[in-house]
Amino acid sequence: MEQRWSTMSLVDSISKTLVPIHREGYPFIAIAAVLTIILGWFWSPLFWIGLFLSGWVCYFFRDPKRVTPVKDGLIVSPADGTVCLMGSAIPPRELDLGDQPMMRVCIFMDVFNCHVNRAPMAGRVTRVAYKAGKFLNAELDKASEHNERNGLIIENDNARIGVVQIAGLVARRIVCFVKEGENISAGDRFGLIRFGSRLDVYLPQGTKPQVALGQTMIAGESILANLKDEEAGDVVARVS
């Protein structure tokens, strides 16, 4: 009996240590594995290089659980990464958020960040708008206007915000999991961008972000702003 419990404890520890892989990564992992075997067949050192790259692909498509603070007015980060730009900006025309500046917070994701995107607040997805474009460095301000992007509008009783997925220099695929009319909770997964990119969040003008340039963000957990302009205080959390 003691040995059985010891084995179960070991299995449980391993399962909690391993990070789940998002299903979007399965085809890329399979391709990397096949290429590793083929290259290793011709020259053994290439096998180890391929094995390392396969491991990196698994790491890139990781999809860890997150603990999201739940309280009216809180806006959480939609992406892992660093705050690269912050200030007033006119939202993309295709979102129909008007032509007046809104508070924009931009989060840049490099190739080592988790690229699963999460909803910054709970509400109803009232618009999904894709626009083809270029693949400039996502850290540049002009990437918001010229790069390929996919935007959402999320509305609830308290606010109407925009969230824009922007392709980067090496990103070539924006994936969106939600459709117009769907309800979404804060921290829910709504999309993914492959290999380097950026997320822009458009908040009502006058919102005071609770982040600083260069700050590291965790999707679904880090608080970007409080639309009620008050201290976060005690909050309930949910795991997703």
Side-chain angles (χ1 to χ4, degrees), residues 60-126:
F60 178 87
F61 285 103
R62 65 196 184 280
D63 185 17
K65 291 182 179 180
R66 296 291 164 82
V67 180
T68 302
V70 180
K71 186 178 181 181
D72 288 344
L74 290 186
I75 303 295
V76 297
S77 176
D80 286 16
T82 56
V83 178
C84 61
L85 292 167
M86 188 165 54
S88 295
I90 298 175
R93 185 176 302 175
E94 67 270 13
L95 285 184
D96 288 335
L97 282 172
D99 56 2
Q100 296 302 309
M102 300 180 70
M103 173 53 65
R104 183 185 65 176
V105 180
C106 308
I107 300 136
F108 175 74
M109 298 180 287
D110 63 31
V111 294
F112 298 104
N113 291 128
C114 174
H115 274 53
V116 176
N117 306 143
R118 293 173 178 265
M121 76 173 189
R124 186 178 181 85
V125 179
T126 58

Short mmCIF file of all heavy atoms in Angstrom, two decimals, residues 60-126:
data_model
loop_
_atom_site.label_atom_id
_atom_site.label_comp_id
_atom_site.label_asym_id
_atom_site.label_seq_id
_atom_site.Cartn_x
_atom_site.Cartn_y
_atom_site.Cartn_z
N PHE A 60 7.36 26.61 -26.89
CA PHE A 60 6.68 27.77 -27.46
C PHE A 60 5.16 27.63 -27.35
O PHE A 60 4.45 28.60 -27.06
CB PHE A 60 7.07 27.97 -28.93
CG PHE A 60 6.37 29.13 -29.59
CD1 PHE A 60 6.89 30.40 -29.50
CD2 PHE A 60 5.18 28.94 -30.27
CE1 PHE A 60 6.23 31.49 -30.08
CE2 PHE A 60 4.51 30.02 -30.86
CZ PHE A 60 5.05 31.29 -30.76
N PHE A 61 4.64 26.43 -27.60
CA PHE A 61 3.19 26.22 -27.61
C PHE A 61 2.65 25.78 -26.25
O PHE A 61 1.55 25.23 -26.17
CB PHE A 61 2.81 25.19 -28.68
CG PHE A 61 2.87 25.74 -30.08
CD1 PHE A 61 3.94 25.44 -30.91
CD2 PHE A 61 1.86 26.56 -30.55
CE1 PHE A 61 4.00 25.95 -32.20
CE2 PHE A 61 1.92 27.08 -31.84
CZ PHE A 61 2.98 26.78 -32.67
N ARG A 62 3.38 26.03 -25.18
CA ARG A 62 2.91 25.68 -23.85
C ARG A 62 1.65 26.48 -23.52
O ARG A 62 1.47 27.60 -23.98
CB ARG A 62 3.99 25.94 -22.80
CG ARG A 62 4.37 27.40 -22.62
CD ARG A 62 5.70 27.52 -21.87
NE ARG A 62 6.07 28.91 -21.59
CZ ARG A 62 6.64 29.72 -22.48
NH1 ARG A 62 6.88 29.29 -23.71
NH2 ARG A 62 6.97 30.96 -22.15
N ASP A 63 0.80 25.89 -22.70
CA ASP A 63 -0.48 26.53 -22.36
C ASP A 63 -0.75 26.32 -20.87
O ASP A 63 -1.61 25.52 -20.48
CB ASP A 63 -1.59 25.92 -23.21
CG ASP A 63 -2.93 26.61 -22.99
OD1 ASP A 63 -2.94 27.73 -22.45
OD2 ASP A 63 -3.96 26.02 -23.36
N PRO A 64 -0.03 27.04 -20.01
CA PRO A 64 -0.19 26.84 -18.56
C PRO A 64 -1.50 27.39 -18.04
O PRO A 64 -2.11 28.29 -18.64
CB PRO A 64 1.00 27.62 -17.99
CG PRO A 64 1.23 28.71 -18.99
CD PRO A 64 0.96 28.08 -20.32
N LYS A 65 -1.95 26.86 -16.91
CA LYS A 65 -3.13 27.41 -16.26
C LYS A 65 -2.76 28.76 -15.63
O LYS A 65 -1.62 28.99 -15.25
CB LYS A 65 -3.64 26.45 -15.18
CG LYS A 65 -4.22 25.16 -15.73
CD LYS A 65 -4.75 24.29 -14.62
CE LYS A 65 -5.37 23.01 -15.17
NZ LYS A 65 -5.90 22.13 -14.09
N ARG A 66 -3.72 29.64 -15.52
CA ARG A 66 -3.51 30.95 -14.93
C ARG A 66 -4.59 31.22 -13.89
O ARG A 66 -5.73 30.75 -14.02
CB ARG A 66 -3.52 32.03 -16.01
CG ARG A 66 -2.36 31.89 -17.01
CD ARG A 66 -1.03 32.21 -16.35
NE ARG A 66 0.12 31.76 -17.09
CZ ARG A 66 0.67 32.41 -18.13
NH1 ARG A 66 0.12 33.53 -18.57
NH2 ARG A 66 1.75 31.93 -18.70
N VAL A 67 -4.23 31.99 -12.87
CA VAL A 67 -5.16 32.37 -11.81
C VAL A 67 -5.56 33.82 -12.04
O VAL A 67 -4.75 34.73 -11.84
CB VAL A 67 -4.53 32.19 -10.41
CG1 VAL A 67 -5.52 32.59 -9.33
CG2 VAL A 67 -4.07 30.75 -10.22
N THR A 68 -6.78 34.05 -12.49
CA THR A 68 -7.24 35.37 -12.90
C THR A 68 -8.01 36.08 -11.79
O THR A 68 -8.97 35.51 -11.25
CB THR A 68 -8.14 35.26 -14.13
OG1 THR A 68 -7.42 34.62 -15.20
CG2 THR A 68 -8.60 36.64 -14.60
N PRO A 69 -7.61 37.31 -11.42
CA PRO A 69 -8.39 38.07 -10.44
C PRO A 69 -9.74 38.45 -11.03
O PRO A 69 -9.83 38.90 -12.18
CB PRO A 69 -7.52 39.31 -10.18
CG PRO A 69 -6.68 39.45 -11.41
CD PRO A 69 -6.44 38.06 -11.90
N VAL A 70 -10.80 38.26 -10.27
CA VAL A 70 -12.15 38.53 -10.76
C VAL A 70 -12.79 39.61 -9.91
O VAL A 70 -13.10 39.40 -8.74
CB VAL A 70 -13.01 37.25 -10.72
CG1 VAL A 70 -14.42 37.55 -11.24
CG2 VAL A 70 -12.37 36.14 -11.54
N LYS A 71 -12.98 40.79 -10.50
CA LYS A 71 -13.65 41.90 -9.82
C LYS A 71 -14.09 42.90 -10.88
O LYS A 71 -13.36 43.15 -11.84
CB LYS A 71 -12.70 42.57 -8.81
CG LYS A 71 -13.38 43.64 -7.98
CD LYS A 71 -12.43 44.24 -6.96
CE LYS A 71 -13.13 45.30 -6.12
NZ LYS A 71 -12.22 45.92 -5.13
N ASP A 72 -15.26 43.47 -10.72
CA ASP A 72 -15.76 44.45 -11.68
C ASP A 72 -14.77 45.59 -11.85
O ASP A 72 -14.28 46.16 -10.88
CB ASP A 72 -17.11 45.02 -11.21
CG ASP A 72 -18.23 44.01 -11.34
OD1 ASP A 72 -18.05 43.01 -12.04
OD2 ASP A 72 -19.30 44.24 -10.72
N GLY A 73 -14.48 45.90 -13.11
CA GLY A 73 -13.60 47.03 -13.41
C GLY A 73 -12.16 46.65 -13.69
O GLY A 73 -11.42 47.42 -14.29
N LEU A 74 -11.74 45.45 -13.27
CA LEU A 74 -10.35 45.06 -13.48
C LEU A 74 -10.12 44.65 -14.94
O LEU A 74 -10.92 43.92 -15.52
CB LEU A 74 -9.96 43.91 -12.56
CG LEU A 74 -9.82 44.19 -11.07
CD1 LEU A 74 -9.29 42.96 -10.35
CD2 LEU A 74 -8.90 45.38 -10.81
N ILE A 75 -9.01 45.12 -15.50
CA ILE A 75 -8.57 44.71 -16.84
C ILE A 75 -7.25 43.98 -16.67
O ILE A 75 -6.30 44.53 -16.12
CB ILE A 75 -8.36 45.93 -17.76
CG1 ILE A 75 -9.64 46.77 -17.86
CG2 ILE A 75 -7.91 45.47 -19.14
CD1 ILE A 75 -10.80 46.07 -18.51
N VAL A 76 -7.20 42.72 -17.11
CA VAL A 76 -5.98 41.94 -16.97
C VAL A 76 -5.24 41.85 -18.30
O VAL A 76 -5.82 42.07 -19.37
CB VAL A 76 -6.27 40.52 -16.43
CG1 VAL A 76 -6.86 40.59 -15.04
CG2 VAL A 76 -7.19 39.75 -17.37
N SER A 77 -3.98 41.53 -18.23
CA SER A 77 -3.17 41.45 -19.44
C SER A 77 -3.66 40.32 -20.35
O SER A 77 -3.90 39.21 -19.88
CB SER A 77 -1.70 41.22 -19.08
OG SER A 77 -0.92 41.06 -20.25
N PRO A 78 -3.78 40.57 -21.65
CA PRO A 78 -4.19 39.53 -22.58
C PRO A 78 -3.03 38.67 -23.08
O PRO A 78 -3.23 37.71 -23.81
CB PRO A 78 -4.79 40.32 -23.74
CG PRO A 78 -4.00 41.58 -23.76
CD PRO A 78 -3.68 41.88 -22.31
N ALA A 79 -1.80 39.05 -22.69
CA ALA A 79 -0.64 38.35 -23.23
C ALA A 79 0.52 38.35 -22.25
O ALA A 79 0.64 39.24 -21.40
CB ALA A 79 -0.20 39.02 -24.54
N ASP A 80 1.36 37.34 -22.37
CA ASP A 80 2.66 37.35 -21.70
C ASP A 80 3.57 38.27 -22.49
O ASP A 80 3.46 38.35 -23.72
CB ASP A 80 3.28 35.95 -21.69
CG ASP A 80 2.60 35.01 -20.71
OD1 ASP A 80 1.48 35.32 -20.25
OD2 ASP A 80 3.19 33.96 -20.38
N GLY A 81 4.48 38.95 -21.81
CA GLY A 81 5.42 39.80 -22.53
C GLY A 81 5.77 41.04 -21.74
O GLY A 81 5.61 41.09 -20.52
N THR A 82 6.20 42.08 -22.44
CA THR A 82 6.57 43.34 -21.79
C THR A 82 5.77 44.49 -22.38
O THR A 82 5.45 44.49 -23.57
CB THR A 82 8.07 43.64 -21.97
OG1 THR A 82 8.40 43.65 -23.36
CG2 THR A 82 8.92 42.57 -21.28
N VAL A 83 5.47 45.47 -21.53
CA VAL A 83 4.75 46.66 -21.99
C VAL A 83 5.72 47.49 -22.81
O VAL A 83 6.72 47.98 -22.30
CB VAL A 83 4.22 47.48 -20.79
CG1 VAL A 83 3.52 48.74 -21.29
CG2 VAL A 83 3.29 46.64 -19.94
N CYS A 84 5.44 47.63 -24.12
CA CYS A 84 6.38 48.33 -25.00
C CYS A 84 5.92 49.73 -25.38
O CYS A 84 6.75 50.58 -25.73
CB CYS A 84 6.66 47.50 -26.26
SG CYS A 84 5.20 47.18 -27.30
N LEU A 85 4.63 49.98 -25.34
CA LEU A 85 4.08 51.31 -25.67
C LEU A 85 2.86 51.56 -24.79
O LEU A 85 2.14 50.62 -24.43
CB LEU A 85 3.66 51.39 -27.14
CG LEU A 85 4.76 51.34 -28.21
CD1 LEU A 85 4.15 51.12 -29.59
CD2 LEU A 85 5.60 52.61 -28.20
N MET A 86 2.63 52.82 -24.48
CA MET A 86 1.48 53.16 -23.65
C MET A 86 1.13 54.63 -23.86
O MET A 86 2.02 55.49 -23.87
CB MET A 86 1.81 52.88 -22.18
CG MET A 86 0.64 53.01 -21.22
SD MET A 86 1.03 52.24 -19.62
CE MET A 86 2.57 53.07 -19.20
N GLY A 87 -0.14 54.93 -24.07
CA GLY A 87 -0.56 56.31 -24.27
C GLY A 87 -1.79 56.38 -25.16
O GLY A 87 -2.36 55.37 -25.57
N SER A 88 -2.23 57.60 -25.46
CA SER A 88 -3.43 57.80 -26.28
C SER A 88 -3.16 57.44 -27.74
O SER A 88 -2.11 57.76 -28.29
CB SER A 88 -3.88 59.26 -26.19
OG SER A 88 -4.29 59.57 -24.87
N ALA A 89 -4.12 56.77 -28.36
CA ALA A 89 -4.01 56.40 -29.78
C ALA A 89 -5.40 56.17 -30.33
O ALA A 89 -6.31 55.75 -29.61
CB ALA A 89 -3.14 55.15 -29.95
N ILE A 90 -5.57 56.44 -31.62
CA ILE A 90 -6.85 56.19 -32.28
C ILE A 90 -6.94 54.70 -32.61
O ILE A 90 -6.02 54.14 -33.21
CB ILE A 90 -6.98 57.04 -33.55
CG1 ILE A 90 -6.94 58.54 -33.19
CG2 ILE A 90 -8.26 56.71 -34.30
CD1 ILE A 90 -6.93 59.46 -34.39
N PRO A 91 -8.01 54.04 -32.22
CA PRO A 91 -8.12 52.59 -32.48
C PRO A 91 -8.26 52.30 -33.97
O PRO A 91 -8.65 53.17 -34.75
CB PRO A 91 -9.39 52.21 -31.71
CG PRO A 91 -10.17 53.47 -31.60
CD PRO A 91 -9.16 54.57 -31.49
N PRO A 92 -7.94 51.07 -34.39
CA PRO A 92 -8.08 50.70 -35.80
C PRO A 92 -9.49 50.96 -36.31
O PRO A 92 -10.48 50.71 -35.61
CB PRO A 92 -7.76 49.20 -35.80
CG PRO A 92 -6.89 49.00 -34.59
CD PRO A 92 -7.40 49.96 -33.58
N ARG A 93 -9.59 51.46 -37.53
CA ARG A 93 -10.88 51.85 -38.10
C ARG A 93 -11.85 50.69 -38.17
O ARG A 93 -13.07 50.87 -37.97
CB ARG A 93 -10.64 52.43 -39.50
CG ARG A 93 -11.89 52.99 -40.16
CD ARG A 93 -11.54 53.64 -41.49
NE ARG A 93 -10.55 54.71 -41.32
CZ ARG A 93 -10.01 55.37 -42.33
NH1 ARG A 93 -10.34 55.06 -43.58
NH2 ARG A 93 -9.14 56.33 -42.11
N GLU A 94 -11.34 49.47 -38.45
CA GLU A 94 -12.24 48.33 -38.64
C GLU A 94 -12.96 47.91 -37.36
O GLU A 94 -13.94 47.16 -37.40
CB GLU A 94 -11.48 47.13 -39.22
CG GLU A 94 -10.44 46.51 -38.30
CD GLU A 94 -9.06 47.14 -38.45
OE1 GLU A 94 -8.96 48.21 -39.08
OE2 GLU A 94 -8.09 46.54 -37.94
N LEU A 95 -12.49 48.40 -36.19
CA LEU A 95 -13.15 48.05 -34.94
C LEU A 95 -14.40 48.90 -34.68
O LEU A 95 -15.21 48.57 -33.81
CB LEU A 95 -12.19 48.20 -33.76
CG LEU A 95 -11.13 47.11 -33.59
CD1 LEU A 95 -10.32 47.35 -32.33
CD2 LEU A 95 -11.75 45.73 -33.56
N ASP A 96 -14.53 50.01 -35.40
CA ASP A 96 -15.69 50.91 -35.20
C ASP A 96 -15.78 51.41 -33.76
O ASP A 96 -16.88 51.49 -33.18
CB ASP A 96 -17.00 50.22 -35.59
CG ASP A 96 -17.14 50.06 -37.10
OD1 ASP A 96 -16.51 50.85 -37.83
OD2 ASP A 96 -17.85 49.14 -37.53
N LEU A 97 -14.65 51.74 -33.18
CA LEU A 97 -14.63 52.30 -31.84
C LEU A 97 -14.62 53.83 -31.86
O LEU A 97 -14.44 54.47 -30.83
CB LEU A 97 -13.40 51.79 -31.06
CG LEU A 97 -13.50 50.37 -30.50
CD1 LEU A 97 -12.15 49.92 -29.94
CD2 LEU A 97 -14.58 50.29 -29.42
N GLY A 98 -14.77 54.41 -33.05
CA GLY A 98 -14.78 55.85 -33.18
C GLY A 98 -13.42 56.38 -33.61
O GLY A 98 -12.44 55.63 -33.70
N ASP A 99 -13.36 57.69 -33.85
CA ASP A 99 -12.11 58.30 -34.31
C ASP A 99 -11.46 59.16 -33.24
O ASP A 99 -10.57 59.96 -33.52
CB ASP A 99 -12.35 59.13 -35.57
CG ASP A 99 -13.41 60.20 -35.37
OD1 ASP A 99 -13.95 60.32 -34.24
OD2 ASP A 99 -13.73 60.92 -36.35
N GLN A 100 -11.91 58.99 -31.99
CA GLN A 100 -11.30 59.71 -30.89
C GLN A 100 -10.25 58.84 -30.21
O GLN A 100 -10.41 57.61 -30.13
CB GLN A 100 -12.36 60.13 -29.87
CG GLN A 100 -13.39 61.11 -30.42
CD GLN A 100 -12.74 62.39 -30.94
OE1 GLN A 100 -11.94 63.01 -30.24
NE2 GLN A 100 -13.08 62.77 -32.17
N PRO A 101 -9.17 59.45 -29.72
CA PRO A 101 -8.11 58.66 -29.06
C PRO A 101 -8.64 57.90 -27.85
O PRO A 101 -9.53 58.37 -27.14
CB PRO A 101 -7.09 59.72 -28.65
CG PRO A 101 -7.34 60.88 -29.54
CD PRO A 101 -8.83 60.89 -29.78
N MET A 102 -8.09 56.71 -27.63
CA MET A 102 -8.37 55.91 -26.44
C MET A 102 -7.04 55.60 -25.76
O MET A 102 -5.97 55.77 -26.36
CB MET A 102 -9.10 54.61 -26.83
CG MET A 102 -10.44 54.81 -27.51
SD MET A 102 -11.26 53.24 -27.94
CE MET A 102 -11.72 52.62 -26.31
N MET A 103 -7.09 55.17 -24.53
CA MET A 103 -5.86 54.77 -23.85
C MET A 103 -5.43 53.40 -24.39
O MET A 103 -6.20 52.43 -24.32
CB MET A 103 -6.09 54.69 -22.35
CG MET A 103 -4.90 54.11 -21.57
SD MET A 103 -3.30 54.92 -21.89
CE MET A 103 -3.61 56.56 -21.24
N ARG A 104 -4.23 53.33 -24.94
CA ARG A 104 -3.72 52.09 -25.52
C ARG A 104 -2.53 51.57 -24.71
O ARG A 104 -1.61 52.32 -24.39
CB ARG A 104 -3.28 52.32 -26.97
CG ARG A 104 -2.80 51.06 -27.68
CD ARG A 104 -2.27 51.37 -29.06
NE ARG A 104 -1.07 52.20 -29.00
CZ ARG A 104 -0.35 52.55 -30.06
NH1 ARG A 104 -0.74 52.19 -31.27
NH2 ARG A 104 0.73 53.30 -29.93
N VAL A 105 -2.58 50.29 -24.39
CA VAL A 105 -1.45 49.62 -23.74
C VAL A 105 -1.03 48.48 -24.65
O VAL A 105 -1.85 47.64 -25.04
CB VAL A 105 -1.84 49.07 -22.35
CG1 VAL A 105 -0.63 48.38 -21.70
CG2 VAL A 105 -2.34 50.19 -21.44
N CYS A 106 0.26 48.46 -25.03
CA CYS A 106 0.78 47.47 -25.97
C CYS A 106 1.72 46.51 -25.26
O CYS A 106 2.62 46.94 -24.54
CB CYS A 106 1.52 48.15 -27.12
SG CYS A 106 0.59 49.45 -27.94
N ILE A 107 1.52 45.22 -25.49
CA ILE A 107 2.36 44.18 -24.88
C ILE A 107 3.06 43.40 -25.97
O ILE A 107 2.40 42.80 -26.84
CB ILE A 107 1.52 43.24 -24.00
CG1 ILE A 107 0.86 44.04 -22.87
CG2 ILE A 107 2.38 42.15 -23.40
CD1 ILE A 107 -0.56 43.68 -22.65
N PHE A 108 4.38 43.43 -25.95
CA PHE A 108 5.17 42.74 -26.97
C PHE A 108 5.54 41.35 -26.48
O PHE A 108 6.02 41.16 -25.36
CB PHE A 108 6.45 43.53 -27.27
CG PHE A 108 7.38 42.82 -28.21
CD1 PHE A 108 7.09 42.73 -29.56
CD2 PHE A 108 8.55 42.23 -27.75
CE1 PHE A 108 7.94 42.07 -30.44
CE2 PHE A 108 9.41 41.57 -28.62
CZ PHE A 108 9.10 41.50 -29.97
N MET A 109 5.32 40.35 -27.35
CA MET A 109 5.66 38.96 -27.04
C MET A 109 6.84 38.54 -27.91
O MET A 109 6.75 38.58 -29.13
CB MET A 109 4.46 38.05 -27.33
CG MET A 109 3.24 38.34 -26.50
SD MET A 109 1.86 37.22 -26.89
CE MET A 109 1.36 37.85 -28.50
N ASP A 110 7.94 38.14 -27.27
CA ASP A 110 9.05 37.61 -28.05
C ASP A 110 8.87 36.11 -28.22
O ASP A 110 7.88 35.53 -27.75
CB ASP A 110 10.40 37.97 -27.42
CG ASP A 110 10.60 37.36 -26.03
OD1 ASP A 110 10.06 36.26 -25.78
OD2 ASP A 110 11.29 37.98 -25.20
N VAL A 111 9.82 35.46 -28.89
CA VAL A 111 9.65 34.04 -29.22
C VAL A 111 9.75 33.13 -28.01
O VAL A 111 9.50 31.93 -28.11
CB VAL A 111 10.68 33.60 -30.29
CG1 VAL A 111 10.41 34.30 -31.61
CG2 VAL A 111 12.11 33.87 -29.82
N PHE A 112 10.12 33.68 -26.85
CA PHE A 112 10.24 32.86 -25.65
C PHE A 112 9.01 32.99 -24.74
O PHE A 112 8.89 32.27 -23.75
CB PHE A 112 11.50 33.23 -24.86
CG PHE A 112 12.77 32.98 -25.63
CD1 PHE A 112 13.48 34.03 -26.21
CD2 PHE A 112 13.25 31.69 -25.81
CE1 PHE A 112 14.64 33.80 -26.93
CE2 PHE A 112 14.41 31.45 -26.54
CZ PHE A 112 15.11 32.50 -27.10
N ASN A 113 8.11 33.91 -25.06
CA ASN A 113 6.90 34.07 -24.26
C ASN A 113 5.85 33.05 -24.65
O ASN A 113 5.83 32.56 -25.78
CB ASN A 113 6.30 35.47 -24.47
CG ASN A 113 7.14 36.57 -23.86
OD1 ASN A 113 7.49 37.55 -24.53
ND2 ASN A 113 7.49 36.43 -22.59
N CYS A 114 4.95 32.75 -23.71
CA CYS A 114 3.77 31.94 -24.03
C CYS A 114 2.88 32.79 -24.93
O CYS A 114 2.62 33.95 -24.63
CB CYS A 114 3.04 31.55 -22.75
SG CYS A 114 1.49 30.69 -23.03
N HIS A 115 2.41 32.23 -26.04
CA HIS A 115 1.67 33.02 -27.03
C HIS A 115 0.16 32.79 -27.03
O HIS A 115 -0.53 33.19 -27.96
CB HIS A 115 2.25 32.77 -28.43
CG HIS A 115 3.42 33.64 -28.75
ND1 HIS A 115 4.51 33.74 -27.93
CD2 HIS A 115 3.65 34.49 -29.78
CE1 HIS A 115 5.38 34.59 -28.45
NE2 HIS A 115 4.88 35.06 -29.57
N VAL A 116 -0.35 32.14 -26.01
CA VAL A 116 -1.80 31.99 -25.88
C VAL A 116 -2.36 33.29 -25.33
O VAL A 116 -1.89 33.82 -24.33
CB VAL A 116 -2.15 30.82 -24.94
CG1 VAL A 116 -3.66 30.75 -24.73
CG2 VAL A 116 -1.63 29.51 -25.50
N ASN A 117 -3.36 33.85 -26.02
CA ASN A 117 -3.95 35.13 -25.64
C ASN A 117 -5.21 34.92 -24.80
O ASN A 117 -6.00 34.01 -25.08
CB ASN A 117 -4.31 35.96 -26.87
CG ASN A 117 -3.12 36.14 -27.81
OD1 ASN A 117 -3.28 36.14 -29.02
ND2 ASN A 117 -1.93 36.30 -27.26
N ARG A 118 -5.41 35.79 -23.81
CA ARG A 118 -6.53 35.65 -22.87
C ARG A 118 -7.34 36.94 -22.79
O ARG A 118 -6.81 38.03 -22.95
CB ARG A 118 -6.01 35.25 -21.49
CG ARG A 118 -5.41 33.83 -21.48
CD ARG A 118 -4.75 33.53 -20.15
NE ARG A 118 -4.23 32.16 -20.12
CZ ARG A 118 -4.88 31.12 -19.62
NH1 ARG A 118 -6.09 31.29 -19.10
NH2 ARG A 118 -4.34 29.91 -19.62
N ALA A 119 -8.63 36.78 -22.53
CA ALA A 119 -9.54 37.93 -22.49
C ALA A 119 -9.19 38.85 -21.32
O ALA A 119 -9.04 38.38 -20.19
CB ALA A 119 -10.98 37.46 -22.35
N PRO A 120 -9.07 40.17 -21.56
CA PRO A 120 -8.73 41.10 -20.49
C PRO A 120 -9.89 41.40 -19.55
O PRO A 120 -9.67 41.88 -18.44
CB PRO A 120 -8.28 42.36 -21.23
CG PRO A 120 -8.92 42.26 -22.57
CD PRO A 120 -9.05 40.81 -22.88
N MET A 121 -11.11 41.14 -19.97
CA MET A 121 -12.26 41.32 -19.07
C MET A 121 -13.40 40.43 -19.53
O MET A 121 -13.42 39.94 -20.66
CB MET A 121 -12.70 42.79 -19.02
CG MET A 121 -13.48 43.28 -20.22
SD MET A 121 -14.15 44.97 -19.96
CE MET A 121 -15.22 45.09 -21.42
N ALA A 122 -14.36 40.25 -18.65
CA ALA A 122 -15.54 39.46 -19.00
C ALA A 122 -16.51 40.31 -19.81
O ALA A 122 -16.60 41.52 -19.63
CB ALA A 122 -16.22 38.95 -17.74
N GLY A 123 -17.23 39.67 -20.72
CA GLY A 123 -18.22 40.40 -21.51
C GLY A 123 -18.64 39.63 -22.74
O GLY A 123 -18.39 38.43 -22.87
N ARG A 124 -19.27 40.34 -23.64
CA ARG A 124 -19.75 39.76 -24.89
C ARG A 124 -18.88 40.25 -26.04
O ARG A 124 -18.58 41.44 -26.13
CB ARG A 124 -21.21 40.17 -25.12
CG ARG A 124 -21.88 39.53 -26.32
CD ARG A 124 -23.33 39.99 -26.41
NE ARG A 124 -24.04 39.40 -27.53
CZ ARG A 124 -24.62 38.21 -27.51
NH1 ARG A 124 -24.57 37.49 -26.40
NH2 ARG A 124 -25.25 37.73 -28.57
N VAL A 125 -18.46 39.34 -26.90
CA VAL A 125 -17.67 39.70 -28.07
C VAL A 125 -18.64 40.24 -29.12
O VAL A 125 -19.42 39.49 -29.71
CB VAL A 125 -16.89 38.49 -28.62
CG1 VAL A 125 -16.10 38.88 -29.87
CG2 VAL A 125 -15.96 37.92 -27.56
N THR A 126 -18.61 41.54 -29.33
CA THR A 126 -19.56 42.16 -30.26
C THR A 126 -18.98 42.39 -31.65
O THR A 126 -19.72 42.72 -32.58
CB THR A 126 -20.07 43.50 -29.70
OG1 THR A 126 -18.96 44.38 -29.48
CG2 THR A 126 -20.81 43.28 -28.39
#
